[in-house]
Amino acid sequence: MTLDQIANQVCTKVHDTSSGAVAAAKTFAKNRYEMIWNSQVWKDSLATTSVAVSADDSIVTIPSTSFDMPVAVKLDTTAISPANYESAFVNSPESFTGSGTTAAFVILAKNDSGQIRLQLLKAAGQSGTLSVLCKTKVRVINSGVSNYRSLEQDSDQPAIPHAEQALVALVEADMLEYKQAYAKAQAKQSEALTLLALARNMERGQSASRLSISVESDGQWQRDDWESGDSQIQFI
């Protein structure tokens, strides 16, 4: 559905098709779509990019401003893990200035241009290619072309099609609140959140996916740390 279709459908359901109501519905749709996009890492929100890394480069900037946050990173063919900035800064300060084998990275604040920056721990010992899987900024489809913005133009369509019904229900809830029908708005919002949960389940259950749990140590703990009095955890 386009933004115009969403607004007209909602306004028809709340029995107010005035120009003011339609304009309000479009504003609500824009805001709610941004909320849905930001609520999780949707598969339709992912994209990849590559950056050439020179030897001893410790801070890498992703050139495009279309990306919002990194999800996974690899250097050449080796995956590198995200690290907690505060823990790494306190417990492994040498990794911020040293070079060698890059084992992890931390996410830095974006620069003034809105570009993602990553701090490699340690800097790469030789040149290579950093490949990054990123969540993009909010995106819509207009005439078959992706545009990095929220729903603003009448012909804009959500880029997360299975969350569309949840979006419509959320906009209807906002319109009912706008009309001061608060009890109806609360019931409709409850329905919308159920539809949003269903959309998440559809993405997990009806598309190719794999659930895995990875356990890693950042080196803070040693075997001796787990000894206590006469008891001891046995490591096999």
Side-chain angles (χ1 to χ4, degrees), residues 66-84:
S66 300
F67 299 115
D68 190 29
M69 63 184 72
V71 176
V73 178
K74 66 178 182 177
L75 183 57
D76 292 328
T77 59
T78 303
I80 56 177
S81 303
N84 179 275

Side-chain angles (χ1 to χ4, degrees), residues 149-166:
R149 61 168 183 263
S150 189
L151 294 169
E152 297 175 2
Q153 299 182 11
D154 284 350
S155 53
D156 285 346
Q157 294 176 278
I160 313 170
H162 44 269
E164 198 170 87
Q165 292 306 311

